[in-house]
Amino acid sequence: MNNGETSTSMVKKYRPLAVAAGIGSILGSGIIVGLSVTITVWQNGLGLTNSQVGIISGALTFAIAIGSLLAGQITKSFGLVKSFNWLNLIYAIGALICVFSNNYIMLLIGVIITGLASGADLPISLTVVSHDAPDDKTSASLVSSTQIFWQIGVFMSYVCAFIVSKMAGASGARIVFSILAIFALITWAWRTFSTKFRAFHEEGEQRRIDREAASQTTEKVSIKTVFAGANKGRFMAFFFSILIFYVCWNLLANTFGQFQTFTLVQAHASQSFATGAGIVLNFISLLATMAFASVAGGKYRNKFFLVGITVQFLAMLGLAMSSHSLWPIVITIGCYNIGNNIAGEAMYKVWTQEAFPVEVRASVQGFINGFSRVCCGLFALITPALVVPSAIRNTMFGFAAIVFISFVAGLTMMRLEKKHGINNF
């Protein structure tokens, strides 16, 4: 009882830090969805060609990937806390360049700067949370809760874009990006000037030093010592299990997100129904993420994962075998959104923070994020061919196979954690 109360009080104490990190997730999903839902507004307002629209969209994807890949180097060059504090100012600068852009080049530069900052911020923010958290259970709960903010960012972007959709020219898009810039500036100020956060950072660093002294380790922890040292087999197994799980999950989530509305329209839904259903389904995703966050640090976490991955698999089979009737498809997509968020990115974040030393977490997670983004970007090149009516059935069977592969990788990760005593679930 006391342990439970202590854990709850620790989560409550460090919750503001998770919120400050989570707003980074709002900004991350906000720039992706915000650009996606306003790109035609930018096109009409600035007179962009279809090729320029494609280049801007692709540039954001690869800028986020590059930012993620550079996260470890950024923390090495500027320090973990300083990087955490200042990346959102760079994000705000990029968003403001977009707000005031009056031509293609200026918009492209703003999108690239924002994407680079967003890509680097996510792994760095999660590393700061796990670095400052006083114990593993608190860390798991806080890290998983940041995924809630990602869903909030998606939801907010859709709502904002809907509200400003009737504005003339690029005004609506400028307002959406202004909101993102304001959030980024507030987050930068909060992270940088909060005395509470400064105390958390100092206490977390002291705990790290104490653990290092207790283990009598003289060699500095680095990517080389982790993946080429005495425990390289253990860490390589962790790395590839997490990498395979996340790439498979992200390929499905990224591609599915692109043709969810298309699938509903093919089932004879109106465009307004499909858009409205997307907002409702996103809200369902948010509730599922919140449910997982509530158990991320406890014994039911793995059971939730198994249920979630099973629901995803059955949803893909259901879509493959269903007719073109609208409501069965809506229900199946709703089930997928539940499973996708119970056994998805939040689980990946927790695993990465638990499995690796704090000194290399930003580098490892940054690489996995970046590599996954590149894979999704390349996979998007063939997405149109996969979602035509004649191919959707086989595509869903293929997605079911991808879910199964992610299940095997996830199950392997759970067994590795149990084997190496990372948790007792």
Side-chain angles (χ1 to χ4, degrees), residues 326-336:
L326 178 60
W327 283 106
I329 292 176
V330 172
I331 293 170
T332 305
I333 292 176
C335 291
Y336 165 75

PDB file of all heavy atoms in Angstrom, residues 326-336:
ATOM      1  N   LEU A 326     -20.777   0.190 -45.100  1.00  0.00           N
ATOM      2  CA  LEU A 326     -20.126   1.272 -44.381  1.00  0.00           C
ATOM      3  C   LEU A 326     -19.910   0.973 -42.905  1.00  0.00           C
ATOM      4  O   LEU A 326     -18.780   1.081 -42.409  1.00  0.00           O
ATOM      5  CB  LEU A 326     -20.939   2.559 -44.540  1.00  0.00           C
ATOM      6  CG  LEU A 326     -20.412   3.789 -43.791  1.00  0.00           C
ATOM      7  CD1 LEU A 326     -19.000   4.135 -44.252  1.00  0.00           C
ATOM      8  CD2 LEU A 326     -21.354   4.970 -43.988  1.00  0.00           C
ATOM      9  N   TRP A 327     -20.965   0.603 -42.186  1.00  0.00           N
ATOM     10  CA  TRP A 327     -20.845   0.524 -40.733  1.00  0.00           C
ATOM     11  C   TRP A 327     -19.923  -0.592 -40.250  1.00  0.00           C
ATOM     12  O   TRP A 327     -19.173  -0.385 -39.271  1.00  0.00           O
ATOM     13  CB  TRP A 327     -22.222   0.423 -40.082  1.00  0.00           C
ATOM     14  CG  TRP A 327     -22.884   1.771 -40.062  1.00  0.00           C
ATOM     15  CD1 TRP A 327     -23.914   2.195 -40.846  1.00  0.00           C
ATOM     16  CD2 TRP A 327     -22.498   2.882 -39.265  1.00  0.00           C
ATOM     17  NE1 TRP A 327     -24.218   3.511 -40.585  1.00  0.00           N
ATOM     18  CE2 TRP A 327     -23.361   3.962 -39.609  1.00  0.00           C
ATOM     19  CE3 TRP A 327     -21.512   3.090 -38.297  1.00  0.00           C
ATOM     20  CZ2 TRP A 327     -23.260   5.210 -39.015  1.00  0.00           C
ATOM     21  CZ3 TRP A 327     -21.422   4.338 -37.708  1.00  0.00           C
ATOM     22  CH2 TRP A 327     -22.287   5.377 -38.058  1.00  0.00           C
ATOM     23  N   PRO A 328     -19.902  -1.786 -40.891  1.00  0.00           N
ATOM     24  CA  PRO A 328     -18.892  -2.775 -40.476  1.00  0.00           C
ATOM     25  C   PRO A 328     -17.463  -2.251 -40.621  1.00  0.00           C
ATOM     26  O   PRO A 328     -16.600  -2.535 -39.780  1.00  0.00           O
ATOM     27  CB  PRO A 328     -19.150  -3.954 -41.421  1.00  0.00           C
ATOM     28  CG  PRO A 328     -20.594  -3.835 -41.773  1.00  0.00           C
ATOM     29  CD  PRO A 328     -20.852  -2.360 -41.859  1.00  0.00           C
ATOM     30  N   ILE A 329     -17.224  -1.456 -41.665  1.00  0.00           N
ATOM     31  CA  ILE A 329     -15.892  -0.883 -41.872  1.00  0.00           C
ATOM     32  C   ILE A 329     -15.582   0.149 -40.795  1.00  0.00           C
ATOM     33  O   ILE A 329     -14.470   0.181 -40.241  1.00  0.00           O
ATOM     34  CB  ILE A 329     -15.779  -0.254 -43.280  1.00  0.00           C
ATOM     35  CG1 ILE A 329     -15.816  -1.364 -44.343  1.00  0.00           C
ATOM     36  CG2 ILE A 329     -14.502   0.566 -43.415  1.00  0.00           C
ATOM     37  CD1 ILE A 329     -15.809  -0.850 -45.769  1.00  0.00           C
ATOM     38  N   VAL A 330     -16.564   0.999 -40.459  1.00  0.00           N
ATOM     39  CA  VAL A 330     -16.368   1.998 -39.405  1.00  0.00           C
ATOM     40  C   VAL A 330     -16.040   1.321 -38.080  1.00  0.00           C
ATOM     41  O   VAL A 330     -15.110   1.725 -37.360  1.00  0.00           O
ATOM     42  CB  VAL A 330     -17.619   2.892 -39.252  1.00  0.00           C
ATOM     43  CG1 VAL A 330     -17.491   3.796 -38.018  1.00  0.00           C
ATOM     44  CG2 VAL A 330     -17.825   3.742 -40.496  1.00  0.00           C
ATOM     45  N   ILE A 331     -16.797   0.281 -37.737  1.00  0.00           N
ATOM     46  CA  ILE A 331     -16.576  -0.438 -36.474  1.00  0.00           C
ATOM     47  C   ILE A 331     -15.207  -1.095 -36.458  1.00  0.00           C
ATOM     48  O   ILE A 331     -14.477  -1.039 -35.454  1.00  0.00           O
ATOM     49  CB  ILE A 331     -17.691  -1.484 -36.257  1.00  0.00           C
ATOM     50  CG1 ILE A 331     -19.035  -0.774 -36.034  1.00  0.00           C
ATOM     51  CG2 ILE A 331     -17.353  -2.391 -35.065  1.00  0.00           C
ATOM     52  CD1 ILE A 331     -20.229  -1.701 -36.053  1.00  0.00           C
ATOM     53  N   THR A 332     -14.820  -1.686 -37.585  1.00  0.00           N
ATOM     54  CA  THR A 332     -13.518  -2.354 -37.656  1.00  0.00           C
ATOM     55  C   THR A 332     -12.376  -1.350 -37.513  1.00  0.00           C
ATOM     56  O   THR A 332     -11.393  -1.601 -36.809  1.00  0.00           O
ATOM     57  CB  THR A 332     -13.376  -3.113 -38.992  1.00  0.00           C
ATOM     58  OG1 THR A 332     -14.477  -4.006 -39.151  1.00  0.00           O
ATOM     59  CG2 THR A 332     -12.085  -3.932 -39.008  1.00  0.00           C
ATOM     60  N   ILE A 333     -12.513  -0.197 -38.163  1.00  0.00           N
ATOM     61  CA  ILE A 333     -11.483   0.837 -38.041  1.00  0.00           C
ATOM     62  C   ILE A 333     -11.413   1.347 -36.606  1.00  0.00           C
ATOM     63  O   ILE A 333     -10.328   1.618 -36.074  1.00  0.00           O
ATOM     64  CB  ILE A 333     -11.754   1.997 -39.023  1.00  0.00           C
ATOM     65  CG1 ILE A 333     -11.567   1.522 -40.469  1.00  0.00           C
ATOM     66  CG2 ILE A 333     -10.826   3.173 -38.748  1.00  0.00           C
ATOM     67  CD1 ILE A 333     -11.912   2.570 -41.515  1.00  0.00           C
ATOM     68  N   GLY A 334     -12.585   1.464 -35.957  1.00  0.00           N
ATOM     69  CA  GLY A 334     -12.601   1.864 -34.549  1.00  0.00           C
ATOM     70  C   GLY A 334     -11.852   0.879 -33.675  1.00  0.00           C
ATOM     71  O   GLY A 334     -11.074   1.277 -32.793  1.00  0.00           O
ATOM     72  N   CYS A 335     -12.052  -0.403 -33.913  1.00  0.00           N
ATOM     73  CA  CYS A 335     -11.326  -1.437 -33.158  1.00  0.00           C
ATOM     74  C   CYS A 335      -9.819  -1.338 -33.418  1.00  0.00           C
ATOM     75  O   CYS A 335      -9.005  -1.481 -32.488  1.00  0.00           O
ATOM     76  CB  CYS A 335     -11.830  -2.825 -33.548  1.00  0.00           C
ATOM     77  SG  CYS A 335     -13.509  -3.189 -32.992  1.00  0.00           S
ATOM     78  N   TYR A 336      -9.451  -1.091 -34.677  1.00  0.00           N
ATOM     79  CA  TYR A 336      -8.031  -0.937 -34.995  1.00  0.00           C
ATOM     80  C   TYR A 336      -7.424   0.228 -34.220  1.00  0.00           C
ATOM     81  O   TYR A 336      -6.311   0.121 -33.687  1.00  0.00           O
ATOM     82  CB  TYR A 336      -7.840  -0.708 -36.494  1.00  0.00           C
ATOM     83  CG  TYR A 336      -6.460  -0.194 -36.826  1.00  0.00           C
ATOM     84  CD1 TYR A 336      -5.360  -1.046 -36.810  1.00  0.00           C
ATOM     85  CD2 TYR A 336      -6.244   1.155 -37.094  1.00  0.00           C
ATOM     86  CE1 TYR A 336      -4.084  -0.571 -37.070  1.00  0.00           C
ATOM     87  CE2 TYR A 336      -4.974   1.639 -37.360  1.00  0.00           C
ATOM     88  CZ  TYR A 336      -3.908   0.774 -37.345  1.00  0.00           C
ATOM     89  OH  TYR A 336      -2.640   1.247 -37.584  1.00  0.00           O
TER      90      TYR A 336
END
